[in-house]
Structure formats: structure tokens, C-alpha cells
Amino acid sequence: IADRNNNSGGGAVTLTGKPQNASQASANGYADRVNEANVTISTLGGNFTGKFDYGGSLPNFMQSGDRQAYEQAKRNFVTAILRRESGAAISPTEFETAEKQYFPQAGDKTTTVQQKVNARNTAINNLYREANVTRPVLPGQIIESGGKKYRVDSDGESLIPL
């Protein structure tokens, strides 16, 4: 994990060893946003995907702190993806479509939820590829190795078996 996250003290280290150009640096910024949002989504999202889930439509003062964090992470993810794709203002319809594309909805089957996890990871990986850097491993992130799942501990190094 340490090798993957090493940036040698100055800007991003690209896969080719050359400095990032402006487009790559921009993609890197969007990639970091969606990667960080995805940690929150992966950590908290399972709490809000039941058959009768309606909490996202409640006013903030009626939502738990976890629900507010989850909703904010979803907004951050969607706006970063859509802004990078179009650069234009995001319509409510576009936002709603992206929400259904990337995040579990009430009543989604297990296979559909996994497809949405895969879609988020594909979007994140594509942004890092465009930035010409490796995807960093973040505290709280769930990683898989040898068929087992682990959560990266708060120190960013230790793995906690799930």
C-alpha cells in the first residue's frame, strides 16, 4: 500500500515518470474526489438500501449524520463524474439518472448492487488511468486479495479482515 501511495513529496508521479499535463492533473482531481466519495459510499451505503428506504428524501435535520455523509458522498461522486464528462451544468434529470446508474436503489437485487459497485470502480479507475497515475489506497477502503475482503485501517497500512 505504501508503494502505491508514494508521491515522492511533489505532485503526482505518473506511470510514465513524466509530469502531469493540465488535462491529467484535472482528471487526477476528479479521480481523488470520486475515490474518497466511494469509501464513504462503500462504508455507509448498505445501511440505506432496504426495500422501504426513503431517508434520502427527508430534510437534513431529520437525517442521521451517517445518512447525511452518504448523501453528500453520492452528490460528490455524481457531480465529479458528470462535470468531467460534460463540463457543463448538471440537470436534475442527468443527476437522477447517474444516481440510479451508480448507487443501490430500494429493491435492487444483490447482482444489481454489485454491478453498481463495479460501475463506480470502473469510473474511478478510468479517471486515474486518464490522470496517468495508480489509484491510491485510502483508509476505510475495502480491498480484495486472494478471495478475501479487507478494510484498510485508519493508518492507511494495516488491513482488517471482513
Side-chain angles (χ1 to χ4, degrees):
I1 293 174
D3 290 342
R4 188 175 184 98
N5 291 339
N6 181 17
N7 71 2
S8 301
V13 174
T14 64
L15 297 173
T16 57
K18 297 177 182 176
Q20 283 183 323
N21 62 35
S23 178
Q24 290 171 326
S26 175
N28 204 124
Y30 285 113
D32 286 344
R33 280 178 59 188
V34 296
N35 198 24
E36 289 171 8
N38 195 53
V39 171
T40 301
I41 292 160
S42 297
T43 302
L44 300 175
N47 299 334
F48 309 114
T49 57
K51 275 186 178 177
F52 303 107
D53 178 50
Y54 57 86
S57 60
L58 294 172
N60 271 2
F61 74 90
M62 295 181 73
Q63 294 179 5
S64 69
D66 281 355
R67 183 58 184 230
Q68 289 179 11
Y70 175 68
E71 294 298 327
Q72 172 55 26
K74 285 183 1 181
R75 284 189 298 276
N76 200 20
F77 189 98
V78 170
T79 55
I81 292 294
L82 294 180
R83 183 83 64 225
R84 181 67 182 167
E85 287 177 357
S86 73
I90 300 165
S91 73
T93 305
E94 271 184 300
F95 194 92
E96 188 177 310
T97 299
E99 260 193 315
K100 289 178 182 174
Q101 176 182 353
Y102 290 113
F103 309 110
Q105 306 294 305
D108 277 354
K109 305 291 186 223
T110 305
T111 54
T112 303
V113 171
Q114 187 58 49
Q115 284 178 317
K116 292 177 181 187
V117 168
N118 294 344
R120 287 196 312 271
N121 279 309
T122 297
I124 294 166
N125 291 338
N126 285 343
L127 283 170
Y128 279 116
R129 190 174 300 111
E130 185 180 343
N132 195 23
V133 296
T134 58
R135 180 178 176 176
V137 178
L138 302 175
Q141 191 168 351
I142 297 171
I143 61 172
E144 204 168 318
S145 179
K148 296 181 181 179
K149 290 186 178 184
Y150 303 89
R151 181 174 309 280
V152 179
D153 202 0
S154 60
D155 63 7
E157 294 289 324
S158 305
L159 300 176
I160 302 167
L162 296 178

